[in-house]
């Protein structure tokens, strides 16, 4: 059963990827999707079997690398943490596969797209079922490869190619730190097996080793190196720049990357290695700081974005920051709980956005939308549920709300209750981010579905349609219609999860039953099991900020819709700073990209062209070739030419003798 869950997506990827051109698009779609639904059904059973019946264990598949003292086998580690991730990955991926039936219906390379989706899913499943660091690294890099293929799937589109390269390069930075961390684990512990390393971690607390010529704390160094990998994969502050651009791929790809697979790998890594991080308090403080900073940074950038998918992308960055902030204060259960609920409502938001984009002929600029609620009511309803979950809508003190209410407010409570050095900073940043999240989420919702339709506001031709910069045409409002059933069914299923999954699983993930639920799969720290009472103002604060965010969005985009455009036209300093994403792209271009291009051009033109080629092929070698060509021309092949040359030589010799060459 465990093998089927992991390898059915791989089998589907092989069938569609190698034989898709032969069996056709429809067969490739059906086979890959059917395999994913089987894996999802099996994953749900495994979740129940492992989390509540306390089964599971380690399944040996094959010997892998045995060299001297280095022994690594391919095994599957199935515990509660794995079971949760199996459900998240397979359920969302299977729904994304089904959704893609409708969304990619007109794409001429659908078989290749479905192959990449299944490959992505297999790599993530290999990652979350790993029982050692090397096996995890295999899945880690597999996810990176698949993301490159999917983000750049429309390779004729320059923006998609640039985004794919950007994601690949930025993740290489994080992966370098992850690789160093794995090397360090082997150097210190002599093994890469999780159980052995975690058992030995407490004995390494406070000890030092030599690294790069310096004596450093063992556990702090290893955890920080591993966290660098998590920062890259989960798009945390400083290594976040690739994730918003990843939405250049097809919308189903965005839903899969942002909700269930790639970006959650970093959170999974920190929680899987929680026994190590518990021995490195400074590393946990760094995790807390980076997570809280990411939460507030991404929330501020999302305030003024106009691309419907880009707003959701920055929301992903922010929500991932919440998860790391929770892990940084040792609330690992809260981090995974938010990962679990976030998978439902973030996949829902992306797929609902895809339904909107499909309805308006691939337009993504919210300034050209509006008034769509009456034309696509089911999409409106599901995105409403997704927004309520994202903003954490719920009733304080009664404990009733959407999934995000339980998981996100739980993180805010955990940071408030924690006593670690960065906990207070994390509390205020996540609390403020909750208000900003409410504003930009409802801004997006109101701009898209309410007010008047703005698709034909710009210059238009005689047919009544207007072309945007991408060459797409804004349809008339009466021509907009709901998406096909294959796209709406996944929206309905995800909406149920976004609405009710938090309340249903709150007790198990972070409540009184958390310790029995996790069964040692993560480090369980006292005080994070739902037993800490909070002051009334702290429990009410997220709700109050959420209401304020909604009220501000309603004021600007319903009551006074002309004001945002007027404010944007002024191009104030704060507006430009946030709209341009704190100028990180420009800063990195100045610090890294331009110097790299200058160095490469210098090595090419001067080093290779002027020096190497100038002295070698274009210098000495060229002169030798010129001389050789002159000599070769004397070799005519005619005997009388050679006889004439001999005669000239004899005449010259005689003349030399006669002039006095011999005394």
């Amino acid at each position: 059963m465990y093998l089927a869950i992991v390898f059915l997506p791989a089998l589907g990827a092989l069938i569609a990827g190698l034989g898709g051109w032969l069996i056709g698009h429809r067969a490739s779609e059906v086979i890959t999707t059917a395999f994913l639904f089987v894996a999802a059904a099996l994953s749900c059973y495994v979740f129940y079997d492992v989390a509540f019946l306390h089964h599971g264990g380690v399944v040996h598949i094959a010997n892998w690398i045995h060299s001297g003292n280095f022994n690594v086998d391919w095994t599957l580690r199935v515990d509660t943490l794995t079971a949760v991730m199996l459900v998240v990955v397979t359920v969302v991926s299977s729904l994304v596969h089904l959704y893609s039936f409708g969304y990619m219906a007109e794409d001429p390379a659908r078989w290749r797209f479905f192959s990449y989706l299944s490959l992505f899913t297999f790599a993530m499943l290999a990652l979350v079922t790993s029982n050692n660091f090397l096996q995890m690294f295999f899945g880690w890099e597999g996810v990176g490869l698949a993301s490159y293929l999917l983000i750049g799937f429309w390779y004729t589109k320059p923006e998609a190619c640039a985004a794919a390269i950007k994601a690949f390069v930025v993740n290489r930075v994080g992966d370098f730190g992850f690789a160093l961390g794995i090397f360090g684990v082997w150097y210190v512990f002599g093994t890469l097996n999780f159980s052995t390393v975690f058992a030995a971690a407490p004995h390494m607390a406070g000890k030092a080793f030599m690294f790069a010529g310096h004596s450093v704390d063992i556990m702090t160094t290893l955890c920080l190196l591993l966290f660098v990998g998590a920062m890259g994969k989960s798009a945390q502050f400083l290594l976040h720049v690739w994730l918003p651009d990843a939405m250049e791929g097809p919308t189903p790809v965005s839903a899969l990357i942002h909700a269930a697979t790639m970006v959650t790998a970093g959170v999974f890594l920190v929680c899987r290695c929680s026994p190590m991080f518990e021995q490195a308090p400074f590393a946990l403080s760094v995790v807390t700081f980076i997570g809280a900073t990411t939460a507030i940074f991404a929330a501020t950038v999302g305030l003024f974005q106009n691309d419907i998918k880009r707003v959701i992308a920055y929301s992903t960055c922010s929500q991932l920051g919440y998860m790391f902030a929770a892990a940084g204060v040792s609330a690992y259960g809260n981090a995974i709980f938010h990962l679990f609920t976030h998978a439902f409502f973030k996949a829902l938001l992306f797929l609902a956005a895809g339904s909107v984009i499909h309805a308006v002929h691939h337009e993504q600029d919210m300034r050209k939308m509006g008034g769509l609620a009456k034309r696509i009511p089911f999409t409106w309803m599901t995105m409403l549920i997704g927004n309520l979950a994202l903003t954490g809508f719920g009733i304080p003190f009664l404990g009733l709300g959407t999934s995000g209410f339980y998981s996100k407010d739980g993180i805010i409570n955990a940071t408030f209750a924690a006593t670690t050095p960065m906990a207070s900073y994390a509390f205020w940043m996540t609390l403020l981010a909750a208000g900003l999240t409410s504003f930009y989420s409802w801004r997006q919702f109101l701009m898209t579905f309410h007010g008047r339709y703005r698709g034909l506001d710009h210059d238009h031709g005689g047919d009544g349609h207007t072309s945007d910069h991408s060459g797409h045409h804004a349809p008339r409002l009466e021509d907009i219609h709901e998406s096909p059933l294959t796209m709406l069914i996944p929206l309905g299923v995800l909406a149920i999860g976004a609405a009710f999954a938090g309340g249903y699983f709150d007790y198990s993930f972070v409540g009184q039953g958390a310790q029995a639920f996790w069964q040692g799969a993560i480090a369980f720290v006292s005080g994070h099991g739902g037993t800490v009472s909070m002051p009334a103002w702290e429990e009410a604060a997220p709700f109050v900020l959420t209401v304020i965010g909604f009220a501000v969005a309603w004021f600007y985009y319903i009551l006074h819709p002309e004001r945002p455009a007027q404010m944007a036209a002024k191009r104030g300093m704060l507006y430009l700073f946030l709209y341009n994403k704190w100028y990180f792209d420009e800063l990195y271009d100045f610090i890294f990209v331009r110097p790299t291009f200058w160095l490469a051009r210098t090595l090419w033109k001067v080093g290779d062209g002027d020096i190497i080629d100038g002295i070698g092929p274009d210098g000495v070698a060229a002169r030798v070739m010129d001389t050789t060509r002159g000599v070769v021309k004397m070799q005519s092949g005619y005997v009388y030419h050679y006889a004439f040359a001999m005669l000239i030589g004899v005449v010259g010799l005689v003349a030399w003798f006669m002039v006095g060459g011999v005394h």
Side-chain angles (χ1 to χ4, degrees):
M1 180 168 55
Y2 302 143
L3 294 179
I5 294 173
V6 175
F7 290 104
L8 276 177
L11 180 60
L14 288 174
I15 293 174
L18 300 180
W21 62 274
L22 181 63
I23 63 178
H25 297 300
R26 180 57 68 187
S28 299
E29 294 170 346
V30 171
I31 290 173
T32 54
T33 305
F35 284 174
L36 256 298
F37 271 96
V38 172
L42 293 175
S43 296
C44 291
Y45 174 77
V46 168
F47 175 72
Y48 172 76
D49 188 51
V50 174
F52 299 103
L53 300 184
H54 307 312
H55 295 157
V58 175
V59 180
H60 183 274
I61 298 178
N63 296 334
W64 193 9
I65 302 175
H66 289 193
S67 177
N69 295 328
F70 185 73
N71 298 306
V72 176
D73 292 331
W74 193 278
T75 54
L76 305 182
R77 182 188 183 95
V78 184
D79 55 15
T80 305
L81 179 58
T82 302
V84 170
M85 295 302 296
L86 289 179
V87 170
V88 168
V89 173
T90 58
V91 169
V92 173
S93 182
S94 60
L95 294 174
V96 167
H97 274 70
L98 178 60
Y99 179 92
S100 301
F101 272 56
Y103 193 87
M104 302 295 291
E106 299 177 2
D107 196 284
R110 297 193 300 278
W111 58 270
R112 182 164 56 88
F113 179 77
F114 277 82
S115 174
Y116 291 168
L117 281 183
S118 292
L119 177 64
F120 202 164
T121 306
F122 163 69
M124 190 66 187
L125 291 173
L127 190 159
V128 301
T129 57
S130 57
N131 191 40
N132 56 73
F133 283 99
L134 188 60
Q135 188 177 333
M136 177 180 281
F137 192 73
F138 168 83
W140 195 271
E141 295 303 307
V143 170
L145 168 64
S147 69
Y148 172 79
L149 297 174
L150 285 169
I151 296 170
F153 178 75
W154 287 327
Y155 55 84
T156 57
K157 184 180 178 183
E159 296 87 352
C161 293
I165 294 173
K166 189 176 185 178
F168 197 79
V169 171
V170 173
N171 272 276
R172 297 289 70 74
V173 177
D175 293 353
F176 179 69
F178 186 31
L180 287 179
I182 294 175
F183 298 155
V185 169
W186 164 253
Y187 175 76
V188 171
F189 296 99
T191 181
L192 297 181
N193 183 273
F194 286 150
S195 298
T196 306
V197 172
F198 297 161
H203 303 291
M204 292 295 174
K207 295 184 179 179
F209 72 155
M210 297 301 297
F211 180 78
H214 300 278
S215 178
V216 294
D217 183 79
I218 291 177
M219 297 310 301
T220 299
T221 303
L222 296 182
C223 290
L224 287 178
L225 289 173
L226 294 175
F227 180 60
V228 170
M231 286 177 62
K233 200 65 74 183
S234 293
Q236 291 299 282
F237 186 68
L238 301 180
L239 294 181
H240 66 277
V241 292
W242 69 269
L243 186 58
D245 290 341
M247 60 90 191
E248 290 293 346
T251 298
V253 173
S254 302
L256 195 58
I257 291 178
H258 289 244
T261 55
M262 186 171 178
V263 297
T264 62
V267 180
F268 172 81
L269 169 64
V270 172
C271 292
R272 172 62 81 196
C273 297
S274 55
M276 297 176 62
F277 278 87
E278 284 302 304
Q279 310 305 321
F282 179 77
L284 282 177
S285 295
V286 172
V287 174
T288 308
F289 174 78
I290 294 294
T293 303
T294 304
I296 191 65
F297 156 75
T300 60
V301 175
L303 295 176
F304 302 122
Q305 299 301 310
N306 296 311
D307 187 300
I308 187 171
K309 288 172 62 178
R310 192 175 289 273
V311 174
I312 305 174
Y314 276 106
S315 166
T316 299
C317 284
S318 183
Q319 298 306 305
L320 288 167
Y322 274 88
M323 299 175 205
F324 279 108
V329 296
S330 301
Y332 304 106
N334 293 85
I336 296 298
F337 187 36
H338 196 49
L339 184 157
F340 180 76
T341 61
H342 176 265
F344 288 104
F345 62 73
K346 187 50 59 67
L348 173 62
L349 287 171
F350 263 113
L351 296 186
S355 182
V356 172
I357 294 168
H358 181 271
V360 295
H361 297 191
H362 300 283
E363 177 61 72
Q364 295 183 198
D365 192 334
M366 297 184 298
R367 294 170 296 183
K368 299 180 182 180
M369 299 179 188
L372 300 181
K374 56 188 175 183
R375 304 301 304 171
I376 48 177
F378 189 83
T379 300
W380 171 86
M381 181 186 67
T382 55
M383 183 164 268
L384 173 64
I385 295 173
N387 257 23
L388 290 172
L390 173 62
T391 57
F393 177 77
I395 304 175
F397 312 114
L398 295 181
L400 297 176
T402 58
S403 292
F405 168 74
Y406 295 96
S407 59
K408 188 164 73 173
D409 282 22
I411 290 176
I412 296 175
N413 293 342
T415 57
F416 179 83
T419 57
T420 55
M422 297 304 301
S424 180
Y425 171 78
F427 168 72
W428 289 109
M429 291 302 100
T430 54
L431 186 61
L432 179 59
L436 299 179
T437 300
S438 177
F439 171 76
Y440 70 67
S441 298
W442 292 116
R443 169 183 179 266
Q444 176 205 50
F445 184 80
L446 296 175
M447 287 181 70
T448 302
F449 292 104
H450 295 275
R452 65 181 184 85
Y453 180 58
R454 301 177 298 276
L456 302 178
D457 279 359
H458 305 276
D459 294 337
H460 57 78
D463 60 353
H465 290 69
T466 179
S467 297
D468 68 2
H469 65 279
S470 303
H472 300 302
H473 295 280
R476 299 181 182 91
L477 182 61
E478 58 270 20
D479 294 333
I480 296 174
H481 55 81
E482 195 65 91
S483 300
L485 197 60
T486 53
M487 295 174 65
L488 298 182
I489 291 175
L491 293 182
V493 175
L494 290 170
I496 294 173
F500 302 112
Y504 187 80
F505 289 104
D506 178 62
Y507 175 84
S508 298
F509 276 78
V510 297
Q512 299 294 334
Q515 190 164 7
F517 176 80
W518 290 110
Q519 305 171 61
I522 58 175
F524 188 84
V525 180
S526 178
H528 293 305
T531 59
V532 179
S533 59
M534 300 294 168
W537 72 266
E538 192 277 334
E539 290 196 52
F543 175 77
V544 172
L545 288 175
T546 299
V547 172
I548 292 175
F550 173 79
V552 174
W554 184 271
F555 176 84
Y556 277 106
Y557 294 96
I558 297 298
L559 299 181
H560 302 283
E562 73 285 353
R563 291 197 178 185
Q566 294 171 356
M567 294 174 64
K570 294 180 181 179
R571 302 182 68 81
M573 184 180 298
L574 179 61
Y575 171 81
L576 290 177
F577 180 70
L578 299 180
Y579 182 77
N580 289 289
K581 302 159 287 187
W582 292 26
Y583 292 101
F584 266 103
D585 284 334
E586 291 79 3
L587 180 64
Y588 284 0
D589 180 71
F590 178 77
I591 296 177
F592 300 112
V593 178
R594 293 185 184 181
T596 300
F597 272 99
W598 175 85
L599 179 62
R601 194 174 292 109
T602 301
L603 292 176
W604 171 33
K605 294 290 187 180
V606 179
D608 189 44
D610 295 344
I611 299 177
I612 298 177
D613 287 348
I615 296 176
D618 297 334
V620 176
R623 303 293 75 78
V624 171
M625 289 298 297
D626 293 342
T627 304
T628 303
R629 289 191 192 96
V631 174
V632 166
K633 291 179 180 179
M634 299 176 61
Q635 302 293 325
S636 65
Y638 295 105
V639 175
Y640 58 85
H641 284 172
Y642 300 150
F644 180 71
M646 293 173 62
L647 178 61
I648 292 176
V650 171
V651 171
L653 186 62
V654 171
W656 184 69
F657 273 108
M658 293 177 63
V659 172
V662 178
H663 300 282

